[in-house]
Amino acid sequence: MISPKLILMPLSTSGHVTERLKGGLAVAKYFNAHLDVYHTHLNPKRFLPTGQLGLPTKLVKELDSVAGRFATTESANLKTEFVSLCAQQQVKYTDDSAEHPTHPSASWHINIGVRSEIIAEQGKVADLIIIPQSKSGKSTSTFEASVMRSGKPILLVPRQMIHFDIKTVVIGWNASTEVSRALTYSLPLLKQAQKVVICTSASSADKMPNGHEVVKYLAQHDIKSEFVTFNNGRQSTAKAFMSVAQMHNADLVVMGAFTHRRIHEQIFGGMTNYMLANTTLPILMAR
């Protein structure tokens, strides 16, 4: 993976808006990249019934007009705040993301439609997608669509993260295809890090290629790393892994997303769902 130059971030209005915008700008500054923020709202007509069993056409038009004005005002206010934050963070704001201004830079986009669909499709022409942790801590349709359909790495960030400075990276290695992709995507970050730790559950330590092979692979990229294993004890693998990451004072976790079959994740939870609900660290994921 090359160092990302075009970063995409969706924005909902479910709280901590300022923090999420600051977090996105911090990531753009770290990579000296361009950030596209997408504020998406649904067409209210999707939810307004018409015809004999629904509302009168005239009332539907009036409600549609009111909803449209509200959405436009809300997005305009958010854009004003975003432009102000760009100035505060010394990120150049531009209305045209194709302008190729000197990085770091940022643009604001207003879209009408389903957020998950727009981000999954637009993410195909971005280098990295930032997904702020959901308010509920659960997986969202936007997160899942981005992971499953964009073909690009996802940076899951805590909702209130406003700084991004990576010195220590912990890699959750289980020899899966998904974590292998995440490892490759993370190379620019690993090269800048001061400490890289490959971390594997003792129950997965024999899976090939093992952590020692990862150390050799990274050495070919002039990245020094160490391999450690951990025992779960009575904890879940996910909780034990997070404890190890915190013990090493990690600034970033690298892992695969949904490495088990989706039905297994939905029924039994799994590493991805645990991290969505409990992480206090940014996580670089790939599928």
Side-chain angles (χ1 to χ4, degrees):
M1 170 185 165
I2 60 171
S3 184
K5 291 302 177 185
L6 182 59
I7 301 172
L8 174 64
M9 185 178 82
L11 181 74
S12 65
T13 52
S14 58
H16 301 109
V17 171
T18 301
E19 292 87 346
R20 284 181 283 152
L21 290 174
K22 284 184 176 179
L25 291 171
V27 175
K29 287 186 70 175
Y30 182 86
F31 287 112
N32 195 33
H34 179 83
L35 174 68
D36 277 332
V37 175
Y38 278 74
H39 180 235
T40 305
H41 54 87
L42 289 169
N43 186 333
K45 290 181 180 179
R46 288 170 57 98
F47 307 102
L48 297 176
T50 58
Q52 294 181 348
L53 299 179
L55 300 174
T57 301
K58 184 178 179 180
L59 179 57
V60 169
K61 289 182 178 180
E62 291 176 356
L63 292 173
D64 183 35
S65 178
V66 170
R69 288 197 299 271
F70 174 79
T72 300
T73 301
E74 178 188 52
S75 195
N77 290 339
L78 289 171
K79 179 181 177 180
T80 298
E81 180 179 3
F82 182 59
V83 173
S84 176
L85 289 173
C86 286
Q88 292 175 24
Q89 302 297 319
Q90 298 182 316
V91 174
K92 180 179 179 181
Y93 180 81
T94 172
D95 281 319
D96 183 6
S97 56
E99 182 182 313
H100 301 296
T102 302
H103 293 307
S105 57
S107 297
W108 180 268
H109 302 269
I110 301 173
N111 299 91
I112 298 176
V114 179
R115 182 185 301 112
S116 58
E117 295 291 324
I118 291 171
I119 298 304
E121 296 303 322
Q122 198 64 33
K124 294 173 182 176
V125 286
D127 296 316
L128 177 68
I129 303 175
I130 300 174
I131 302 291
Q133 188 179 31
S134 69
K135 189 174 183 179
S136 67
K138 297 180 180 180
S139 181
T140 64
S141 57
T142 300
F143 171 75
E144 294 193 6
S146 299
V147 169
M148 298 292 185
R149 294 171 47 198
S150 72
K152 299 300 173 67
I154 308 301
L155 183 64
L156 175 71
V157 299
R159 286 178 68 80
Q160 299 186 57
M161 184 196 83
I162 60 174
H163 300 292
F164 188 77
D165 185 22
I166 307 304
K167 294 182 174 64
T168 300
V169 180
V170 172
I171 302 166
W173 182 258
N174 61 1
S176 68
T177 301
E178 292 81 4
V179 74
S180 173
R181 292 195 182 105
L183 178 68
T184 300
Y185 284 130
S186 71
L187 288 177
L189 285 160
L190 301 182
K191 288 182 178 181
Q192 296 183 57
Q194 297 175 5
K195 180 180 179 181
V196 178
V197 181
I198 296 100
C199 185
T200 299
S201 168
S203 61
S204 300
D206 293 333
K207 292 182 180 180
M208 296 299 291
N210 59 31
H212 297 293
E213 295 297 322
V214 180
V215 171
K216 293 179 182 178
Y217 167 72
L218 292 180
Q220 294 296 321
H221 290 273
D222 297 320
I223 298 169
K224 183 179 180 180
S225 62
E226 59 180 293
F227 172 48
V228 300
T229 60
F230 64 92
N231 291 302
N232 298 4
R234 295 185 177 182
Q235 295 181 317
S236 66
T237 299
K239 188 173 183 179
F241 169 70
M242 182 55 78
S243 296
V244 174
Q246 292 170 339
M247 181 183 70
H248 284 278
N249 296 314
D251 302 299
L252 177 77
V253 166
V254 175
M255 57 178 275
F258 299 127
T259 59
H260 296 96
R261 289 189 304 175
R262 290 293 291 117
I263 188 66
H264 181 281
E265 290 275 351
Q266 291 167 358
I267 296 175
F268 299 105
M271 178 78 81
T272 305
N273 288 336
Y274 180 88
M275 300 301 266
L276 283 166
N278 298 284
T279 187
T280 58
L281 302 169
I283 304 174
L284 186 72
M285 296 180 169
R287 178 74 167 83

